[in-house]
Amino acid sequence: MIKANDPSLTSWVEVQKDSDFPIQNLPFGIVKTDQLKPRVASRIGDQIIDIKSLFILGYLDNLPFALEDFDCSSLNQLMKKGKRATSDLRNRLSKLFSDTNKDLKNNSHHVGQVLIPAEDIEMCMPVEIGDYTDFYSSRDHATNVGTMFRDPNNALLPNWLWIPVGYHGRASSIIPSGVPIKRPKGQIKPSDDADPVFASSKLLDFELEMAFITFDGKPLGDNISTKEAKDYIFGMCIMNDWSARDIQKWEYVPLGPFLAKSFASSISPWIVTMDALEPFAIEGPKQDPKVLSYLEYEGNHHYDINLEVGIQPENAEETIVCKSNYKHMYWNMVQQLAHHTVNGCNIRCGDMMASGTISGPTPESFGSMLEISWRGTKPVKMNNGSERKFIQDNDTVIMRGYCKNEHVRIGFGKVMTKVLPADE
Ligand code: MN
């Protein structure tokens, strides 16, 4: 077992019972305040751990890191050091903050420099993302979309059970929680016999997804096997992969998504490491037909992560519209990464790969408004009496995720995004 995952560990920093951030989590992110420049941080309970200060004060000796790995505005430098180094760093944090260790605890002057109340900081974009890939790996989601737009009897396209289908997305418009987006504009074709018009999207939607972030890969021309893939994945966050369904419908033929997707994707700001998620690895679904040999895998690479989506209209309370789980994925991360690189495509430190919309088998677990409202035919009742088919101006969409067993809860926090009206 990874030392930092020991469920019996407790911290001298107070952690509320239902916190997403017990000592067994220790995610990584970038924080700043009015006084402090962006820096690498972690979190325990409601306290931010300033890792840059920890390093300066000498608590991270004998680890393969330098000041510039923590004194920066992204986690990329840290991730450049690879799996072993980042695991060791998390284990060191665990040791320093565990009840049994007095090194830091007994130095109140240092504690005051290292811990910052979470409400006093601003979370920044955690990673400088090089390339962004979006998969389409939830069978229920692909089946729902195929049923709606094609043929209920042949909902999955013939390639779907053979290939972890994906496309190359846009990295520049990935933003952290809290950054509002503007309703996008584009070409929309109102009906089959009308010409397209230029207008703001009427069918703005969220996609409930999880994303993983990679370490440096192999040189161009090499591939990463399913057996090796885990060593190339740093951690995960929640992603809201915004989609404009009306723009998408007109533009996607024949090359796939373009402007309907590239205007924004929002992520939760803490990267929860694969180490911390290890206790929640579970077996995946039986894959039939049997996959080609390069997609075969050993061990458990699916994860039991509870997910939910809420919509909060302006000046009203939030309504939960979806409760799903990452375990519903058909293709897992090691298969996605093996497939991504099987042609020799090189991945780089800081690439982001998203799951695709995560829908479960029941309507409560559908991961987009397209499915929840079934193309707008079944409006959703909100707690304030209004209805939603898609996302309206000034709505805030909130996604949360956490793993939980009888011993610990490991959470991701949330990704929360307000939709502003389109420009005039
Ligand atoms: Mn997507």
Side-chain angles (χ1 to χ4, degrees), residues 132-136 141 167 206-209 239-243 245 248 257 261 265 354-357:
Y132 164 45
T133 302
D134 194 18
F135 285 95
Y136 189 58
H141 173 67
Y167 72 97
F206 60 77
E207 289 186 336
L208 171 62
E209 306 197 17
M239 172 180 273
N240 179 352
D241 194 27
W242 292 99
S243 299
R245 301 299 178 195
Q248 185 177 2
K261 304 279 185 173
S265 304
S355 55
T357 307

Side-chain angles (χ1 to χ4, degrees), residues 223-421:
N223 71 291
I224 296 170
S225 68
T226 56
K227 219 186 179 89
E228 298 165 323
K230 256 184 109 173
D231 289 339
Y232 291 89
I233 304 174
F234 176 55
M236 300 181 77
C237 60
I238 308 168
M239 172 180 273
N240 179 352
D241 194 27
W242 292 99
S243 299
R245 301 299 178 195
D246 37 10
I247 297 172
Q248 185 177 2
K249 190 180 172 203
W250 171 229
E251 75 170 4
Y252 87 101
V253 185
L255 287 187
F258 191 29
L259 305 184
K261 304 279 185 173
S262 62
F263 60 95
S265 304
S266 305
I267 60 167
S268 57
W270 290 110
I271 307 302
V272 176
T273 63
M274 295 319 293
D275 282 358
L277 295 171
E278 183 76 42
F280 303 93
I282 53 169
E283 208 179 314
K286 183 171 162 23
Q287 296 185 320
D288 181 23
K290 188 170 174 307
V291 297
L292 296 179
S293 63
Y294 80 93
L295 291 169
E296 288 175 1
Y297 65 92
E298 282 170 19
N300 292 338
H301 300 289
H302 287 71
Y303 290 86
D304 182 2
I305 305 172
N306 300 289
L307 299 166
E308 67 173 33
V309 186
I311 301 174
Q312 185 177 22
E314 194 157 49
N315 303 318
E317 68 168 295
E318 179 186 353
T319 302
I320 301 298
V321 296
C322 161
K323 280 180 184 286
S324 187
N325 193 302
Y326 185 70
K327 72 182 176 192
H328 296 309
M329 304 301 291
Y330 186 80
W331 300 103
N332 61 45
M333 285 177 272
V334 302
Q335 291 180 308
Q336 290 168 338
L337 197 51
H339 182 67
H340 203 304
T341 59
V342 76
N343 64 345
C345 172
N346 52 336
I347 59 148
R348 294 180 293 191
C349 178
D351 285 355
M352 182 168 271
M353 305 196 183
S355 55
T357 307
I358 304 162
S359 293
T362 56
E364 310 80 64
S365 61
F366 292 171
S368 65
M369 289 305 286
L370 177 71
E371 295 162 270
I372 294 167
S373 76
W374 208 256
R375 287 176 95 173
T377 61
K378 295 177 184 167
V380 180
K381 258 269 185 280
M382 305 289 287
N383 292 340
N384 71 348
S386 63
E387 287 186 339
R388 288 295 178 282
K389 296 173 179 170
F390 289 90
I391 302 303
Q392 295 184 1
D393 286 348
N394 301 309
D395 282 353
T396 297
V397 175
I398 305 159
M399 295 179 176
R400 301 179 183 84
Y402 66 92
C403 311
K404 196 174 175 173
N405 60 25
E406 61 272 37
H407 307 295
V408 286
R409 173 189 166 111
I410 302 290
F412 289 80
K414 62 187 172 188
V415 50
M416 182 167 172
T417 315
K418 185 171 182 178
V419 174
L420 304 175

